[in-house]
Amino acid sequence: DSQGIGEMEFEKKRGINSFEIRTGLSRALVSGLKEPVAESRLEILKKLKESDISIDFLKISLTSMSFVVSEDCHDKLKSVFETMGLEFELVPNRSVLIVYAVNIQDEEGLVGRVVSEAVASGEEVDQIADMHDRLLIVTSAESAERLAKHIQSQIPEEVIA
């Protein structure tokens, strides 16, 4: 007899569960890396580690690299880049919009729909990354809230928060 025993939920409902905005970030772009490029990248990463600068969202292209850092590190990062003689750009006032959704990669078309809506919103989108339970969008601090509202309004059937 199961009287008095309620049904337990072991798995969160599928779809978008919530949004979170992390602020206080800068985006760093280092371009014109010297040959051999792989060694140049490693040298930069080593200097960042030695300077106790934590990075996220590392993106590598043929002759450049970019990443996100805390704005608190902005001046220290600039000093490291200048000391190394690097060609760089630091873009302040970045945020990360996190779209939480259980098994987002397994939900057919959900990643594509969120990415499509992010791009269609007309808001700044610097970079997008995904994990098994979330999509991370690097954007301007000014765009983050509007971007979350746009995604929520355009795919409401997937928002269960």
Side-chain angles (χ1 to χ4, degrees), residues 18-31:
S18 62
F19 296 86
E20 178 186 349
I21 298 172
R22 294 189 183 158
T23 60
L25 305 169
S26 289
R27 183 170 179 261
L29 172 63
V30 182
S31 56

Side-chain angles (χ1 to χ4, degrees), residues 92-111:
N93 301 316
R94 301 287 96 185
S95 290
V96 175
L97 169 62
I98 305 170
V99 181
Y100 291 99
V102 175
N103 297 323
I104 191 169
Q105 295 171 337
D106 296 332
E107 291 298 307
E108 187 174 329
L110 185 53
V111 170

Side-chain angles (χ1 to χ4, degrees), residues 21 121 123-124 140 142-151:
I21 298 172
S121 73
E123 299 294 341
E124 291 183 54
S140 69
E142 298 80 26
S143 292
E145 186 71 35
R146 291 190 303 263
L147 191 52
K149 287 179 181 176
H150 177 82
I151 292 167

Side-chain angles (χ1 to χ4, degrees), residues 34 43 54 70 101 106 123 133 160:
K34 295 180 177 88
E43 184 181 341
S54 177
S70 168
D106 296 332
E123 299 294 341
D133 66 343
I160 57 171

Side-chain angles (χ1 to χ4, degrees), residues 70-89:
S70 168
E71 281 188 340
D72 297 344
C73 297
H74 197 268
D75 292 338
K76 189 180 349 179
L77 183 62
K78 184 176 178 182
S79 176
V80 168
F81 286 167
E82 287 173 346
T83 301
M84 294 181 75
L86 297 173
E87 185 180 325
F88 67 93
E89 178 184 7

